[in-house]
Amino acid sequence: MPAPGPTPPLGPTPPPGTLPPVRSKWYWLTRWFDPSTAPFIPVPEIATDPDSGTTLGILPTVLLTNDKHEIDRIIAPDLLHNPNFGFGFHARMYDYVSPDEQWSVIGGAKQRVERELELEYEIGRSRQDRWSFTGSLAYDRDGTPRFYGVGNRTREPDQTNYTAEQKFVQGQLGYNFNPFWQLLYTARLRVIDVLPGTISDVPSIETRYGREQLGTNHEVLNRLSLIFDNLDDLTIPSRGVKLVAYAGIASNSGLFNETAYSEMGVDGRAFMPIADRTILATHLALRYLPVTHEVPFWALSSIGGGDSSVGGPQPLRGFGGGRFYDRNSFSYSVEVRRNIFDFNAISTHVEIEMAPFVDMGRVFSKSGTSPISHLHTIGGVGFRGIARPYVVGYVDIGYGSEGSAVFTGINYPF
């Protein structure tokens, strides 16, 4: 029997003339605080907005990458505490199959009131093929919403709280004339049950605005949109424009019977480099409801909160979501997105961006009203973490006439 040879080294052999790195006895602990070696990124959750109160938690984010060091999956559970709803837990998974195909699953619950489950699937995002499709399915029970009445001058002392329980299914089918032009059909079925509020120090909606605000409403929306999009990137654009013109009809039940409202509007986003590592980003949205018939308040046009949705709520990042409701709405935002530093995290590269911003907007009841008069104005600054090519996480801090608000989430606000 031949004599045993030397034991092969564990791990890669260092180049000749070099010594392997020496790890301290505390490496098992210190590696958790080094973004390049930690098994996950321990993202702190600190959110303060006028509706939710202060939420504190931890979000241990796992980034899985391909051989190009591009993220193709995110796993992000969290553990948090909110003074109104107690302790809570969420599970999140975002899967980036390719630049053309993505899906996500989000689920969670808190000790009191709040529950959610959201599923979304997209294919044909780059519009290289003839058809594109996005499907969404959601259940959400939210105890934070506020209602101040209808109009652009509603007062902060008129604030009420309600619980919104929503079931939602939506499909969007796009016909792509070419990579820049698309005709998009949206079909949505939404059931919303407005329940009494549960936040102890805010009056419930029925105590101030009547019990007729409570109850279950159905919405069947059919919308047609014409889209021009020459952005250089779907998730992290640096130049180009995206313009959407849309019109739709929503009914209380069935396909077209018992019309609750009709809608029409435009939504535009533009991005332009103005200096090294600096992008000027702007967004404008205008929505009209030409016909309304016993439409529930939550289906009206609204501004407030941290996100923008085509044909839906628009941002006003110094107020909570849905701060102002009325028949029509106008919104304009501008921000300067500047890359301030970057670092390696696990097996990918992360860029940190700072973005001073201004939001302006109003709601109004008459179509002849000037949309750019009596605007509510918000100033603030955003901080974003970017992991190309698919991921943006943001923290936006805004200040307006009713104080400050902090919003966090995934993807840009517009």
Side-chain angles (χ1 to χ4, degrees):
M1 175 181 290
T7 302
L10 296 176
T13 304
T18 64
L19 296 175
V22 178
R23 293 175 175 173
S24 75
K25 64 180 181 179
W26 299 105
Y27 176 74
W28 65 272
L29 177 63
T30 58
R31 70 187 291 258
W32 292 74
F33 299 94
D34 183 346
S36 64
T37 58
F40 56 80
I41 303 175
V43 179
E45 281 191 276
I46 305 173
T48 303
D49 72 65
D51 293 349
S52 302
T54 301
T55 300
L56 301 175
I58 185 72
L59 193 148
T61 304
V62 178
L63 307 178
L64 305 179
T65 60
N66 56 29
D67 54 6
K68 297 180 182 179
H69 301 289
E70 297 173 343
I71 294 173
D72 53 23
R73 179 171 293 180
I74 299 175
I75 302 172
D78 71 1
L79 180 65
L80 54 84
H81 179 267
N82 179 276
N84 296 311
F85 308 111
F87 287 96
F89 173 80
H90 290 85
R92 302 176 181 87
M93 182 178 292
Y94 302 90
D95 195 288
Y96 306 96
V97 181
S98 71
D100 211 46
E101 184 179 4
Q102 299 181 3
W103 60 264
S104 63
V105 179
I106 303 171
K110 297 185 179 72
Q111 282 179 292
R112 298 183 293 276
V113 182
E114 298 199 326
R115 307 284 187 273
E116 68 173 311
L117 177 63
E118 301 177 19
L119 301 92
E120 184 168 274
Y121 175 76
E122 297 180 79
I123 192 167
R125 299 177 71 245
S126 62
R127 299 180 297 278
Q128 297 298 319
D129 297 324
R130 186 61 64 193
W131 297 96
S132 301
F133 174 77
T134 300
S136 305
L137 180 67
Y139 168 80
D140 182 54
R141 184 180 172 93
D142 186 358
T144 65
R146 303 294 201 271
F147 183 62
Y148 298 76
V150 174
N152 196 51
R153 297 181 181 273
T154 53
R155 304 180 311 133
E156 188 176 11
D158 294 333
Q159 175 183 196
T160 61
N161 168 236
Y162 65 96
T163 300
E165 186 170 35
Q166 175 178 214
K167 303 174 185 70
F168 175 102
V169 59
Q170 176 173 285
Q172 294 183 296
L173 183 64
Y175 179 82
N176 305 311
F177 300 101
N178 55 49
F180 306 112
W181 287 95
Q182 181 187 70
L183 186 65
L184 181 68
Y185 170 65
T186 300
R188 180 171 73 208
L189 171 61
R190 181 163 57 164
V191 181
I192 292 187
D193 194 5
V194 177
L195 303 167
T198 61
I199 297 179
S200 60
D201 58 348
V202 180
S204 186
I205 187 171
E206 77 278 6
T207 64
R208 182 161 289 157
Y209 299 103
R211 295 195 63 83
E212 62 270 18
Q213 303 297 341
L214 302 177
T216 302
N217 285 276
H218 297 73
E219 178 192 67
V220 180
L221 173 69
N222 293 272
R223 176 189 294 157
L224 202 59
S225 306
L226 182 63
I227 302 171
F228 173 77
D229 183 349
N230 70 350
L231 299 179
D232 62 341
D233 191 277
L234 293 172
T235 307
I236 311 167
S238 62
R239 65 176 69 245
V241 299
K242 181 177 181 178
L243 305 174
V244 182
Y246 63 89
I249 295 176
S251 58
N252 293 322
S253 61
L255 189 61
F256 293 112
N257 61 317
E258 299 181 31
T259 298
Y261 66 85
S262 62
E263 63 167 7
M264 58 186 299
V266 293
D267 188 291
R269 301 144 198 254
F271 305 87
M272 180 177 64
I274 57 174
D276 183 43
R277 298 157 66 99
T278 306
I279 306 297
L280 178 67
T282 62
H283 172 245
L284 181 148
L286 184 62
R287 182 181 189 236
Y288 287 92
L289 302 185
V291 175
T292 59
H293 176 67
E294 298 182 356
V295 58
F297 71 88
W298 49 261
L300 295 170
S301 302
S302 69
I303 57 173
D307 298 313
S308 170
S309 173
V310 174
Q314 299 302 327
L316 203 57
R317 285 170 277 183
F319 299 97
R323 172 59 183 87
F324 299 98
Y325 282 100
D326 212 327
R327 193 165 176 168
N328 315 304
S329 67
F330 169 79
S331 172
Y332 179 75
S333 298
V334 58
E335 56 184 48
V336 179
R337 300 173 179 173
R338 179 170 178 80
N339 185 303
I340 53 176
F341 69 93
D342 49 62
F343 61 91
N344 291 321
I346 311 179
S347 56
T348 193
H349 191 72
V350 176
E351 304 167 31
I352 301 299
E353 183 180 83
M354 184 172 69
F357 64 81
V358 174
D359 292 340
M360 295 176 283
R362 69 160 302 173
V363 294
F364 50 102
S365 60
K366 298 180 179 179
S367 59
T369 300
S370 170
I372 59 174
S373 64
H374 304 292
L375 296 173
H376 301 281
T377 303
I378 298 299
V381 62
F383 297 92
R384 287 77 185 263
I386 301 171
R388 297 179 186 271
Y390 305 123
V391 182
V392 178
Y394 71 86
V395 178
D396 284 351
I397 306 167
Y399 184 82
S401 60
E402 296 178 1
S404 60
V406 181
F407 299 95
T408 62
I410 299 293
N411 297 323
Y412 280 114
F414 63 85

